PDB file of all heavy atoms in Angstrom:
ATOM      1  N   LEU K 577      25.487  26.961 217.090  1.00  0.00           N
ATOM      2  CA  LEU K 577      24.341  26.285 217.739  1.00  0.00           C
ATOM      3  C   LEU K 577      24.038  26.829 219.120  1.00  0.00           C
ATOM      4  O   LEU K 577      22.823  27.035 219.479  1.00  0.00           O
ATOM      5  CB  LEU K 577      24.613  24.797 217.851  1.00  0.00           C
ATOM      6  CG  LEU K 577      24.799  24.007 216.545  1.00  0.00           C
ATOM      7  CD1 LEU K 577      24.902  22.527 216.781  1.00  0.00           C
ATOM      8  CD2 LEU K 577      23.579  24.272 215.571  1.00  0.00           C
ATOM      9  N   THR K 622      31.230   5.563 225.141  1.00  0.00           N
ATOM     10  CA  THR K 622      30.313   6.240 224.229  1.00  0.00           C
ATOM     11  C   THR K 622      28.867   5.936 224.610  1.00  0.00           C
ATOM     12  O   THR K 622      27.997   6.793 224.709  1.00  0.00           O
ATOM     13  CB  THR K 622      30.581   5.803 222.748  1.00  0.00           C
ATOM     14  OG1 THR K 622      31.944   6.154 222.459  1.00  0.00           O
ATOM     15  CG2 THR K 622      29.650   6.462 221.786  1.00  0.00           C
ATOM     16  N   TYR K 653      43.514   5.116 209.238  1.00  0.00           N
ATOM     17  CA  TYR K 653      42.360   5.890 208.799  1.00  0.00           C
ATOM     18  C   TYR K 653      41.110   5.106 208.700  1.00  0.00           C
ATOM     19  O   TYR K 653      40.068   5.533 209.186  1.00  0.00           O
ATOM     20  CB  TYR K 653      42.708   6.639 207.495  1.00  0.00           C
ATOM     21  CG  TYR K 653      43.336   7.963 207.703  1.00  0.00           C
ATOM     22  CD1 TYR K 653      44.602   8.073 208.276  1.00  0.00           C
ATOM     23  CD2 TYR K 653      42.632   9.154 207.495  1.00  0.00           C
ATOM     24  CE1 TYR K 653      45.210   9.350 208.589  1.00  0.00           C
ATOM     25  CE2 TYR K 653      43.184  10.396 207.735  1.00  0.00           C
ATOM     26  CZ  TYR K 653      44.460  10.456 208.305  1.00  0.00           C
ATOM     27  OH  TYR K 653      45.016  11.663 208.562  1.00  0.00           O
ATOM     28  N   PHE K 678      26.302  14.505 208.767  1.00  0.00           N
ATOM     29  CA  PHE K 678      27.691  14.006 208.683  1.00  0.00           C
ATOM     30  C   PHE K 678      28.562  15.013 207.952  1.00  0.00           C
ATOM     31  O   PHE K 678      28.294  15.574 206.899  1.00  0.00           O
ATOM     32  CB  PHE K 678      27.689  12.696 207.873  1.00  0.00           C
ATOM     33  CG  PHE K 678      29.066  12.181 207.597  1.00  0.00           C
ATOM     34  CD1 PHE K 678      30.007  12.025 208.586  1.00  0.00           C
ATOM     35  CD2 PHE K 678      29.420  11.818 206.222  1.00  0.00           C
ATOM     36  CE1 PHE K 678      31.304  11.592 208.252  1.00  0.00           C
ATOM     37  CE2 PHE K 678      30.686  11.353 205.985  1.00  0.00           C
ATOM     38  CZ  PHE K 678      31.615  11.184 206.964  1.00  0.00           C
ATOM     39  N   MET K 697      25.813  13.452 191.113  1.00  0.00           N
ATOM     40  CA  MET K 697      26.893  12.864 190.340  1.00  0.00           C
ATOM     41  C   MET K 697      27.383  11.591 191.099  1.00  0.00           C
ATOM     42  O   MET K 697      27.229  11.380 192.334  1.00  0.00           O
ATOM     43  CB  MET K 697      28.033  13.847 190.218  1.00  0.00           C
ATOM     44  CG  MET K 697      27.784  14.952 189.298  1.00  0.00           C
ATOM     45  SD  MET K 697      29.176  16.106 189.230  1.00  0.00           S
ATOM     46  CE  MET K 697      28.681  17.168 187.852  1.00  0.00           C
ATOM     47  N   TYR K 706      41.657   9.006 202.951  1.00  0.00           N
ATOM     48  CA  TYR K 706      40.849   9.908 203.715  1.00  0.00           C
ATOM     49  C   TYR K 706      39.461  10.137 202.973  1.00  0.00           C
ATOM     50  O   TYR K 706      38.421  10.023 203.581  1.00  0.00           O
ATOM     51  CB  TYR K 706      41.560  11.265 203.870  1.00  0.00           C
ATOM     52  CG  TYR K 706      40.636  12.455 204.030  1.00  0.00           C
ATOM     53  CD1 TYR K 706      40.045  12.749 205.238  1.00  0.00           C
ATOM     54  CD2 TYR K 706      40.422  13.319 202.964  1.00  0.00           C
ATOM     55  CE1 TYR K 706      39.213  13.804 205.435  1.00  0.00           C
ATOM     56  CE2 TYR K 706      39.590  14.411 203.082  1.00  0.00           C
ATOM     57  CZ  TYR K 706      38.975  14.622 204.316  1.00  0.00           C
ATOM     58  OH  TYR K 706      38.154  15.737 204.495  1.00  0.00           O
ATOM     59  N   PRO K 737      37.051  24.800 203.454  1.00  0.00           N
ATOM     60  CA  PRO K 737      36.810  25.693 204.593  1.00  0.00           C
ATOM     61  C   PRO K 737      38.054  26.473 205.001  1.00  0.00           C
ATOM     62  O   PRO K 737      39.096  25.863 205.181  1.00  0.00           O
ATOM     63  CB  PRO K 737      36.368  24.819 205.730  1.00  0.00           C
ATOM     64  CG  PRO K 737      36.192  23.419 205.124  1.00  0.00           C
ATOM     65  CD  PRO K 737      37.038  23.393 203.899  1.00  0.00           C
ATOM     66  N   PRO K 742      35.399  35.885 213.942  1.00  0.00           N
ATOM     67  CA  PRO K 742      36.012  37.260 213.983  1.00  0.00           C
ATOM     68  C   PRO K 742      36.613  37.598 215.358  1.00  0.00           C
ATOM     69  O   PRO K 742      37.507  38.422 215.458  1.00  0.00           O
ATOM     70  CB  PRO K 742      34.824  38.128 213.785  1.00  0.00           C
ATOM     71  CG  PRO K 742      33.770  37.311 213.109  1.00  0.00           C
ATOM     72  CD  PRO K 742      33.980  35.904 213.547  1.00  0.00           C
ATOM     73  N   TYR K 779      48.487  24.472 185.303  1.00  0.00           N
ATOM     74  CA  TYR K 779      47.174  23.819 185.158  1.00  0.00           C
ATOM     75  C   TYR K 779      46.320  24.597 184.169  1.00  0.00           C
ATOM     76  O   TYR K 779      46.542  25.813 184.032  1.00  0.00           O
ATOM     77  CB  TYR K 779      46.426  23.817 186.510  1.00  0.00           C
ATOM     78  CG  TYR K 779      46.942  22.804 187.523  1.00  0.00           C
ATOM     79  CD1 TYR K 779      47.660  23.164 188.669  1.00  0.00           C
ATOM     80  CD2 TYR K 779      46.646  21.423 187.351  1.00  0.00           C
ATOM     81  CE1 TYR K 779      48.080  22.228 189.608  1.00  0.00           C
ATOM     82  CE2 TYR K 779      47.135  20.481 188.275  1.00  0.00           C
ATOM     83  CZ  TYR K 779      47.806  20.910 189.391  1.00  0.00           C
ATOM     84  OH  TYR K 779      48.258  19.994 190.325  1.00  0.00           O
ATOM     85  N   SER K 825      41.779  30.922 192.613  1.00  0.00           N
ATOM     86  CA  SER K 825      43.082  30.219 192.409  1.00  0.00           C
ATOM     87  C   SER K 825      43.999  30.475 193.593  1.00  0.00           C
ATOM     88  O   SER K 825      43.807  31.376 194.408  1.00  0.00           O
ATOM     89  CB  SER K 825      43.695  30.745 191.080  1.00  0.00           C
ATOM     90  OG  SER K 825      44.353  32.004 191.359  1.00  0.00           O
ATOM     91  N   ILE K 853      43.979  17.917 191.768  1.00  0.00           N
ATOM     92  CA  ILE K 853      43.338  18.153 190.473  1.00  0.00           C
ATOM     93  C   ILE K 853      43.305  19.647 190.211  1.00  0.00           C
ATOM     94  O   ILE K 853      43.439  20.459 191.228  1.00  0.00           O
ATOM     95  CB  ILE K 853      41.929  17.560 190.416  1.00  0.00           C
ATOM     96  CG1 ILE K 853      40.930  18.095 191.470  1.00  0.00           C
ATOM     97  CG2 ILE K 853      41.991  16.054 190.459  1.00  0.00           C
ATOM     98  CD1 ILE K 853      39.539  17.417 191.352  1.00  0.00           C
ATOM     99  N   TRP K 869      19.953  28.177 202.516  1.00  0.00           N
ATOM    100  CA  TRP K 869      21.293  28.550 202.989  1.00  0.00           C
ATOM    101  C   TRP K 869      22.186  28.846 201.731  1.00  0.00           C
ATOM    102  O   TRP K 869      22.160  28.179 200.752  1.00  0.00           O
ATOM    103  CB  TRP K 869      21.964  27.447 203.787  1.00  0.00           C
ATOM    104  CG  TRP K 869      23.411  27.747 204.121  1.00  0.00           C
ATOM    105  CD1 TRP K 869      23.862  28.351 205.249  1.00  0.00           C
ATOM    106  CD2 TRP K 869      24.550  27.433 203.349  1.00  0.00           C
ATOM    107  NE1 TRP K 869      25.203  28.444 205.233  1.00  0.00           N
ATOM    108  CE2 TRP K 869      25.730  27.965 204.053  1.00  0.00           C
ATOM    109  CE3 TRP K 869      24.757  26.833 202.092  1.00  0.00           C
ATOM    110  CZ2 TRP K 869      26.991  27.784 203.541  1.00  0.00           C
ATOM    111  CZ3 TRP K 869      26.070  26.707 201.647  1.00  0.00           C
ATOM    112  CH2 TRP K 869      27.098  27.175 202.339  1.00  0.00           C
ATOM    113  N   GLU K 870      22.979  29.960 201.860  1.00  0.00           N
ATOM    114  CA  GLU K 870      24.050  30.209 200.911  1.00  0.00           C
ATOM    115  C   GLU K 870      25.203  31.000 201.610  1.00  0.00           C
ATOM    116  O   GLU K 870      24.931  31.562 202.690  1.00  0.00           O
ATOM    117  CB  GLU K 870      23.476  31.056 199.713  1.00  0.00           C
ATOM    118  CG  GLU K 870      22.890  32.422 200.156  1.00  0.00           C
ATOM    119  CD  GLU K 870      22.124  33.070 199.050  1.00  0.00           C
ATOM    120  OE1 GLU K 870      22.346  32.761 197.877  1.00  0.00           O
ATOM    121  OE2 GLU K 870      21.216  33.908 199.347  1.00  0.00           O
TER     122      GLU K 870
END
Side-chain angles (χ1 to χ4, degrees):
L577 295 186
T622 301
Y653 270 66
F678 174 52
M697 287 177 172
Y706 154 78
Y779 285 109
S825 79
I853 58 178
W869 173 90
E870 61 192 335

